[in-house]
Amino acid sequence: MISDAIIRPSVARRALVASSIGIAAGALAVLRFERITWHPSDFGMIWFGARALLHGANPYGLVGPGMQYDFPWTVNYPATSFVVALPLTPFSEVVATFLFVAISAALLAYGISEKGWGRLPIFLSWPFILAALVGQWSPIVSAAFLLPAVGWIVVAKPNLGLAVLASTSSSRLLKIAAIGGVALTAVAFALFPSWPRAWLSVVASQHHFFAPVTRIGGFAILLALLRWRRPEARLIVALACVPQTNSWYEAVPVMLVASTYREALALSLISLLGYVIPPYVMTARNEVEFNSQMGSLMVAICYLPATIMVLRRKNEGELPPWVLMLRRLLKKNNIESHL
């Protein structure tokens, strides 16, 4: 029998491969940044918001269409995301975006290669490619699912972060997320005490956040609950139930359902249809219809194939920490009620 020490790649090799993937992903972001100057990267507005915080300004009043940082949409992230970006504020926007994307991709690659190289094809998936191109947070939040030490980052993108925390079997991840969340929130309050009101005001004005489970065919994702003991099953169900934009980059965590090379390659190849077929099937006449149709495509191309993969597995695995805690609480209350 071959030991795990022989099967699993060394830390040094994982770090080398992860660094290479990170640099390649960062280069994609820079390439897009240079070619589409009229549409800054998504991380660009976070970088700008972090700089605004340092100058005592309100980022939510400076980012958006026609504002000081001219962006097609308002910034919908909590101030904790600006705090995370503070170390990158000394750099230019393009360099900061490169570093953010490169670090995010490298962490995800390092985490996903712990047991081998088989799942690396997810970096060819359309959700990941788009996330790298626009400088999105989904890769680094996905990395937190694999690397508990990165758990503190989830408070920067709370919708996907909540799905990760709800599905994990790692109590260490929950602890790090809690401690990190408190620390980042405290810094955000110190720099901008009224940020929750400003943030919630912006979020409340948005009308393009929907849970995938509400889209056509989305209810079928709930079948993954038949394998509720598996963290990947809980992950896709939780992701399907949290409000999010109907953009492909939000589906990066869904790619983590793959457990073998064939599964990773299959999910990635199928996901590339998200780039190929929309021009031929989209009939949207406005943004509302566009979001609805794109959301349904994401369900069909990303979520349902992942759900089928999960259903092919046995319902086995460790119970999530919050379930164990609830069980202990109920058991204790039941004992006390009989005293």
Side-chain angles (χ1 to χ4, degrees):
M1 180 180 293
I2 302 177
S3 68
D4 288 344
I6 297 177
I7 295 175
R8 298 185 179 187
S10 68
V11 170
R13 288 186 178 182
R14 289 170 61 197
L16 178 61
V17 171
S19 299
S20 301
I21 291 174
I23 292 172
L28 274 181
V30 172
L31 181 63
R32 177 200 173 276
F33 189 94
E34 296 294 337
R35 292 194 173 188
I36 311 179
T37 56
W38 55 268
H39 191 315
S41 71
D42 287 8
F43 182 74
M45 62 179 174
I46 304 300
W47 166 86
F48 178 86
R51 284 192 162 191
L53 278 189
L54 291 178
H55 289 84
N58 174 9
Y60 299 101
L62 299 175
V63 178
M67 296 186 181
Q68 185 172 336
Y69 188 88
D70 194 2
F71 196 75
W73 296 278
T74 54
V75 57
N76 300 306
Y77 289 84
T80 47
S81 65
F82 306 139
V83 175
V84 172
L86 286 176
L88 299 179
T89 53
F91 303 100
S92 67
E93 181 177 356
V94 64
V95 172
T97 300
F98 169 81
L99 291 173
F100 174 75
V101 172
I103 292 171
S104 300
L107 286 172
L108 179 58
Y110 185 81
I112 212 168
S113 61
E114 180 184 6
K115 297 180 180 179
W117 308 116
R119 294 198 286 176
L120 289 183
I122 72 166
F123 292 99
L124 302 176
S125 68
W126 179 232
F128 175 80
I129 292 173
L130 185 58
L133 286 170
V134 302
Q136 259 292 329
W137 292 77
S138 49
I140 198 167
V141 175
S142 299
F145 184 74
L146 304 164
L147 301 171
V150 187
W152 56 274
I153 202 78
V154 299
V155 72
K157 191 173 177 67
N159 57 343
L160 297 190
L162 181 62
V164 167
L165 296 181
S167 57
T168 185
S169 296
S170 172
S171 57
R172 182 166 177 253
L173 171 57
L174 294 179
K175 292 176 182 177
I176 292 176
I179 296 171
V182 170
L184 291 176
T185 302
V187 175
F189 270 112
L191 295 174
F192 184 19
S194 62
W195 73 264
R197 181 173 58 187
W199 172 52
L200 292 174
S201 176
V202 170
V203 172
S205 67
Q206 304 304 303
H207 304 288
H208 62 287
F209 291 99
F210 294 92
V213 74
T214 65
R215 297 307 189 185
I216 295 175
F219 69 92
I221 304 170
L222 299 179
L223 290 173
L225 288 174
L226 294 172
R227 302 294 183 267
W228 65 275
R229 282 182 170 271
R230 306 193 69 93
E232 68 272 25
R234 299 192 297 269
L235 178 63
I236 58 174
V237 170
L239 287 168
C241 292
V242 295
Q244 55 189 271
T245 62
N246 292 276
S247 299
W248 295 97
Y249 53 70
E250 303 279 26
V252 171
V254 177
M255 299 294 106
L256 299 182
V257 165
S259 61
T260 65
Y261 172 79
R262 289 185 177 181
E263 289 182 347
L265 185 61
L267 279 184
S268 296
L269 291 178
I270 294 172
S271 76
L272 289 172
L273 294 174
Y275 172 76
V276 175
I277 68 174
Y280 302 101
V281 300
M282 297 286 287
T283 59
R285 294 166 294 181
N286 52 57
E287 188 174 4
V288 173
E289 291 183 358
F290 178 86
N291 286 332
S292 177
Q293 293 178 15
M294 194 62 75
S296 297
L297 280 177
M298 286 178 63
V299 168
I301 294 173
C302 291
Y303 280 91
L304 293 185
T307 300
I308 292 172
M309 284 186 181
V310 167
L311 292 175
R312 289 169 57 88
R313 302 169 188 170
K314 296 180 179 180
N315 184 32
E316 58 187 18
E318 297 181 15
L319 294 177
W322 58 269
V323 170
L324 295 174
M325 186 181 302
L326 181 60
R327 174 184 287 182
R328 286 195 296 267
L329 182 61
L330 291 174
K331 184 177 181 180
K332 178 180 178 181
N333 290 338
N334 185 53
I335 293 175
E336 291 178 349
S337 65
H338 287 81
L339 294 178

